[in-house]
Amino acid sequence: MSTIRLCALQDIADGQARGFCLGEGSDRFELLVARRGEDVFAYVNACPHRGTPLDWRPDHFMSPDGTLLQCATHGARFRIEDGLCVYGPCVGKRLTELAARLEDGDVVVSRSPGR
Ligand code: FES
């Protein structure tokens, strides 16, 4: 398992999320990191409904009230803390989580084997 330093915590506004792209070629994938205060949550940026990215514009991941992550395609909404879909066409399914933590003020994610 490899770890990747993405950005400084302050590069993600509190209560918002930001998208990242890692890898190259067939190894390339997109992820998002959501921030709540000093906590960060990372997920593969692919909706469990149809597999499309959640954001319709770069770094626009939040529901209008700012409490949930929202898919731009059909409006599914996901809890920030565990990626569970609580509204929309894939209720009960989850975003694919990546282990995320802070290290010296930076956001670091662990990339699972086989991803
Ligand atoms: S692809 Fe996300 S709700 Fe349909």
Side-chain angles (χ1 to χ4, degrees):
M1 182 181 302
S2 62
T3 59
I4 301 156
R5 194 170 296 263
L6 292 176
C7 66
L9 176 65
Q10 64 198 28
D11 292 336
I12 305 172
D14 195 6
Q16 296 295 315
R18 185 174 161 187
F20 299 88
C21 183
L22 297 177
E24 294 176 17
S26 61
D27 204 31
R28 180 182 184 276
F29 75 103
E30 295 185 20
L31 67 149
L32 67 94
V33 177
R35 174 184 174 192
R36 269 193 175 164
E38 301 293 308
D39 294 322
V40 288
F41 306 90
Y43 301 100
V44 175
N45 185 11
C47 181
H49 181 218
R50 295 275 169 84
T52 60
L54 272 66
D55 50 328
W56 61 279
R57 282 196 287 152
D59 302 326
H60 282 69
F61 291 99
M62 305 307 296
S63 59
D65 67 359
T67 61
L68 297 165
L69 296 163
Q70 180 170 316
C71 177
T73 306
H74 305 109
R77 295 184 185 178
F78 306 87
R79 294 196 307 217
I80 293 170
E81 63 274 18
D82 61 7
L84 178 69
C85 180
V86 294
Y87 174 86
C90 46
V91 168
K93 294 187 176 178
R94 290 178 191 270
L95 299 171
T96 301
E97 186 172 13
L98 300 167
R101 65 181 187 278
L102 291 180
E103 233 179 64
D104 300 326
D106 289 338
V107 178
V108 174
V109 296
S110 298
R111 194 167 173 199
S112 301
R115 187 176 304 286

